[in-house]
Amino acid sequence: MSVFRFLSRSKKPIVMVAMLLPLGSQVLAAPSATDITSAIDKAKILSSNTRVAAAVNGAEVYISTYRNAKANDNDCKIEAVLIAKTVMDLSPADITRVTVYFYNALRRSSRKVVSVSAGDVKAFGAGQLSQEQLLTSISLKDEEVNDPAAKLSAYLQQREYAHARKRIETAMRGDTMVVTADAESDMSETDLRYEAIKIAAKALESANGQAAKVEVDFNDPVAPGQIKQIVLTANQVNSLNSSLQSSLGTVQIASVGQAIDIKTLTTTDGALKEERDKLLLRLQALDKQGVGVGPFVKQFIELEKLAAQGNDEQADAAVKRLSSAIDEQEARTKGAKAPKPQVASASGKTYKAPKRLVRPGDRWGDGKGTMDKDEILTNPDLFIQKREAMYNGNAERDKNFLKALSYVYYTLAENNRANDAQKFAGRYWDILAKNGWTEQ
């Protein structure tokens, strides 16, 4: 057993223990691509949910995956060595080299290539190479992907088929792009045709004029060994797209603003995902405390768009801006004390804080629709005017209206606007007195 120490992405030393048995000590059946991807998944070398594809060509294995946005060149080399070791252990006598392609998830035409030989793994396992010597001896090169089949494969693996781990294979055969994919068990022939057109359009785009037609072979999940084949020429695809666009032109798309529930938001794959995950958790924590986070959510959504579009530098700057803004809000929230029983108003008159009639985060407390904290913080008077109108002239005779006044009071008071909150406390007590009510 050999223990070797690598640096993690946090730059703190971690220890990984690898069972470096002599390669060739076992005679195993040559592994399939499925065996290889399964072994890599089980070894947990890559980040959770990182997609992996494998291809076998004689004694060489080719692995395609996505590079962690924070990984440097040495990180890629380390992962490539661990992947190679895992693959070679499946059949030491049959595999002599493993090449790992680390694609950029946001720019699929860019990748890093690391090739590891059985000799590299043997030498390190036998203690003939130190960690530094191993990393120095392994070359890494940056490549722009010009092969249309490789670009299409990266696209397909990342998009429609990635979540279900479907097998995707792409290759150029003369002037034909050949795509082999697993069909869903419930796909109708119409579904297959639509899917083939989408794949063919993307294939022709990736081919940059090198493909005259696209052959899409769907593996039949019901009849193993059978395929459903659709062949489309470039002219057919262009004609179908033109007809489809013409037909769809009558279908209107309207941009409609919609309330966003921050509890349901998730981050997309891409650069700075770890940082974006942390920002989202902080925003959700503030929302849970009853703090208005609308402006921050808008910034977060813009940040997600930048990450999805591959604008890494702009996304990095946006992460820093949003993090700084959240820092300030967290500091204000931490420093804000609970409303005191007596708070001086701007006029000098004081009112006792009303009872909290609506739980923090419950924006439906008065039964008249959601109460938007950001709207309250922007213009509380206008908010109450609009709310009062919902009661059709009976607001001051409806106890539910007290809930709205209480909600506005606490929204303002807990955002360091106790003086602004006073007028709503005053109206709250006036309504109680006018109707002879006691607090609920």
Side-chain angles (χ1 to χ4, degrees):
M1 180 181 292
S2 172
V3 178
F4 53 105
R5 188 180 298 270
F6 284 137
L7 295 181
S8 72
R9 293 191 182 94
S10 63
K11 306 308 177 189
K12 295 179 182 178
I14 60 174
V15 176
M16 292 185 180
V17 179
M19 300 296 293
L20 293 177
L21 298 174
L23 296 175
S25 62
Q26 305 174 61
V27 178
L28 304 174
S32 66
T34 301
D35 295 332
I36 290 169
T37 55
S38 177
I40 294 171
D41 285 344
K42 289 178 182 176
K44 299 187 183 302
I45 297 164
L46 303 170
S47 300
S48 156
N49 297 323
T50 300
R51 297 179 281 278
V52 178
V56 182
N57 183 18
E60 296 190 17
V61 172
Y62 301 92
I63 304 295
S64 296
T65 187
Y66 288 97
R67 178 176 65 88
N68 185 301
K70 297 178 66 177
N72 58 31
D73 286 354
N74 273 350
D75 291 328
C76 290
K77 289 182 181 181
I78 290 167
E79 290 180 345
V81 170
L82 296 175
I83 288 172
K85 170 66 176 57
T86 300
V87 173
M88 290 174 184
D89 279 350
L90 293 174
S91 186
D94 295 314
I95 302 171
T96 60
R97 181 172 295 276
V98 174
T99 299
V100 184
Y101 298 101
F102 292 97
Y103 282 86
N104 185 327
L106 301 176
R107 196 162 68 87
R108 290 181 296 277
S109 61
S110 174
R111 68 186 181 189
K112 292 181 181 290
V113 184
V114 184
S115 188
V116 182
S117 69
D120 294 326
V121 177
K122 285 180 180 177
F124 185 76
Q128 298 171 5
L129 291 176
S130 67
Q131 170 194 317
E132 290 74 18
Q133 289 172 326
L134 176 66
L135 294 179
T136 300
S137 68
I138 294 175
S139 65
L140 177 148
K141 60 182 179 179
D142 292 290
E143 282 188 351
E144 287 298 314
V145 185
N146 296 316
D147 175 26
K151 284 198 288 187
L152 177 62
S153 178
Y155 171 82
L156 294 174
Q157 288 290 346
Q158 186 183 14
R159 299 295 180 185
E160 288 93 341
Y161 296 92
H163 299 297
R165 294 289 183 123
K166 300 293 184 184
R167 182 172 66 88
I168 301 291
E169 294 178 2
T170 57
M172 284 296 294
R173 190 171 62 209
D175 63 355
T176 301
M177 174 79 78
V178 180
V179 181
T180 304
D182 291 338
E184 298 285 353
S185 59
D186 60 349
M187 290 180 80
S188 66
E189 290 192 351
T190 298
D191 293 332
L192 290 174
R193 290 188 179 99
Y194 275 127
E195 192 67 19
I197 292 170
K198 284 167 46 179
I199 291 175
K202 180 55 64 174
L204 292 171
E205 178 186 320
S206 301
N208 295 323
Q210 298 179 46
K213 59 184 175 180
V214 180
E215 175 187 312
V216 185
D217 296 333
F218 290 106
N219 291 313
D220 191 331
V222 178
Q226 298 295 311
I227 64 171
K228 294 185 177 180
Q229 185 179 92
I230 298 175
V231 179
L232 296 165
T233 67
N235 287 337
Q236 278 181 295
V237 173
N238 292 333
S239 176
L240 287 167
N241 272 337
S242 178
S243 298
L244 185 60
Q245 292 304 318
S246 177
S247 299
L248 291 176
T250 59
V251 180
Q252 299 299 311
I253 299 176
S255 296
V256 180
Q258 195 173 27
I260 297 172
D261 185 353
I262 192 171
K263 294 188 288 295
T264 65
L265 283 181
T266 58
T267 56
T268 59
D269 288 340
L272 306 168
K273 189 174 190 308
E274 183 178 345
E275 289 82 352
R276 291 184 285 114
D277 283 337
K278 290 178 180 177
L279 289 176
L280 179 56
L281 287 174
R282 292 170 66 189
L283 288 176
Q284 290 171 336
L286 286 171
D287 179 70
K288 193 173 182 180
Q289 295 174 46
V291 178
V293 294
F296 302 127
V297 171
K298 291 176 184 176
Q299 292 183 55
F300 178 79
I301 291 172
E302 290 303 315
L303 166 59
E304 288 297 294
K305 288 181 182 177
L306 292 173
Q309 292 166 359
N311 298 323
D312 294 14
E313 292 184 6
Q314 294 179 46
D316 182 60
V319 164
K320 291 174 181 175
R321 286 196 301 272
L322 181 54
S323 180
S324 177
I326 296 174
D327 286 342
E328 293 178 8
Q329 183 60 57
E330 287 174 337
R332 287 195 297 269
T333 302
K334 187 176 181 181
K337 297 179 180 179
K340 297 178 181 178
Q342 300 289 334
V343 182
S345 68
S347 64
K349 189 173 182 179
T350 59
Y351 295 96
K352 179 183 176 182
K355 185 176 181 180
R356 190 190 284 273
L357 300 177
V358 179
R359 295 192 310 274
D362 182 0
R363 300 178 297 167
W364 288 82
D366 72 337
K368 298 292 183 181
T370 57
M371 294 186 285
D372 190 330
K373 288 187 175 68
D374 297 309
E375 185 179 353
I376 293 170
L377 294 171
T378 300
N379 192 331
D381 292 310
L382 179 60
F383 173 83
I384 281 296
Q385 289 174 18
K386 291 163 63 178
R387 208 72 184 178
E388 188 173 3
M390 296 180 182
Y391 287 82
N392 299 318
N394 296 310
E396 296 200 347
R397 292 186 293 277
D398 192 322
K399 288 186 177 181
N400 281 323
F401 186 55
L402 295 176
K403 296 178 181 179
L405 290 169
S406 172
Y407 191 83
V408 170
Y409 174 86
Y410 280 97
T411 297
L412 294 170
E414 291 172 356
N415 281 274
N416 298 325
R417 293 172 61 179
N419 283 343
D420 293 339
Q422 275 290 291
K423 69 170 70 175
F424 302 99
R427 190 168 182 197
Y428 174 93
W429 292 113
D430 286 345
I431 292 174
L432 280 176
K434 185 185 298 183
N435 288 285
W437 295 337
T438 57
E439 279 195 299
Q440 298 178 21

